[in-house]
């Protein structure tokens, strides 16, 4: 069976069965010359890279086709990268908006807490003042009580 790969024909060894006898001889001198040239040129034919075996127009078309494929891939990658960058910018803007919202909320909470703390500090100061006043009043009352009780004690001692 003859197979063809990029302009190169060969016989598949496992499927090859020759209709000719393997013991044949060529009697015609011209045929011998042609066969000799063919056999000496086989190594050159096989040593050439496949791109040089085909003609230049096919090679140019293949290169152009490959460049088109590469260009299309680059274009798709560039579009994908732009979309990714756009999504990233949108995500970043959302995060920034969320952070700004949190900032406003936290500042409001902070202001509320500071006002509450100020009220508590004022109450604490009033409580300290009241405590000090009550201590002074207690001291005054004890002194008066002591004064009242001392004349009674001295009169009891005399009697």
């Amino acid at each position: 069976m003859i197979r063809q790969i990029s302009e190169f024909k060969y016989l598949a060894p496992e499927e090859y069965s020759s209709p000719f006898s393997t013991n044949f001889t060529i009697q015609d001198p011209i045929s011998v010359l042609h066969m000799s040239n063919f056999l000496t040129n086989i190594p050159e034919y096989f040593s050439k890279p496949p791109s040089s075996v085909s003609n230049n127009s096919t090679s140019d078309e293949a290169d152009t086709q490959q460049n088109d494929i590469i260009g299309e891939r680059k274009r798709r990658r560039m579009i994908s990268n732009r979309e990714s960058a756009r999504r990233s910018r949108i995500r970043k803007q959302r995060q920034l908006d969320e952070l700004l919202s949190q900032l406003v909320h936290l500042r409001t909470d902070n202001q509320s807490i500071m006002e509450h703390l100020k009220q508590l500090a004022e109450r604490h100061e009033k409580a300290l003042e009241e405590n000090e006043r009550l201590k002074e009043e207690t001291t005054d009352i004890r002194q008066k009580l002591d004064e009242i009780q001392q004349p009674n004690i001295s009169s009891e001692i005399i009697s």
Side-chain angles (χ1 to χ4, degrees), residues 151-159:
N152 289 341
I153 293 177
S154 40
S155 66
E156 284 181 10
I157 293 181
I158 297 178
S159 359

Side-chain angles (χ1 to χ4, degrees), residues 5-34:
I5 297 179
S6 69
E7 306 282 327
F8 176 65
K9 296 179 182 178
Y10 69 96
L11 294 175
E14 66 275 355
E15 299 170 5
Y16 175 71
S17 60
S18 174
F20 304 107
S21 167
T22 54
N23 297 326
F24 66 93
T25 58
I26 300 173
Q27 300 293 329
D28 182 11
I30 295 176
S31 297
V32 170
L33 180 64
H34 287 295

Side-chain angles (χ1 to χ4, degrees), residues 102-118:
Q102 286 178 357
L103 178 67
V104 168
H105 180 71
L106 290 173
R107 281 186 175 168
T108 303
D109 285 352
N110 190 34
Q111 187 176 5
S112 170
I113 290 170
M114 292 299 285
E115 287 176 11
H116 185 68
L117 182 62
K118 183 180 176 184

Side-chain angles (χ1 to χ4, degrees), residues 39-94:
L39 291 176
T40 56
N41 289 333
I42 285 179
E44 291 174 15
Y45 183 78
F46 285 113
S47 68
K48 292 180 183 177
S51 63
S52 63
V53 171
S54 63
N55 61 19
N56 285 342
S57 66
T58 307
S59 175
D60 290 344
E61 289 173 8
D63 288 346
T64 303
Q65 216 174 19
Q66 189 170 9
N67 287 341
D68 288 347
I69 291 170
I70 291 171
E72 180 63 22
R73 285 180 186 162
K74 282 183 180 180
R75 189 182 66 74
R76 277 192 250 146
R77 188 171 51 246
M78 190 169 33
I79 290 170
S80 175
N81 287 346
R82 284 180 184 162
E83 275 299 306
S84 178
R86 185 184 67 79
R87 286 190 306 268
S88 179
R89 283 190 302 273
I90 290 171
R91 187 172 46 248
K92 189 176 182 180
Q93 185 62 45
R94 271 195 224 126

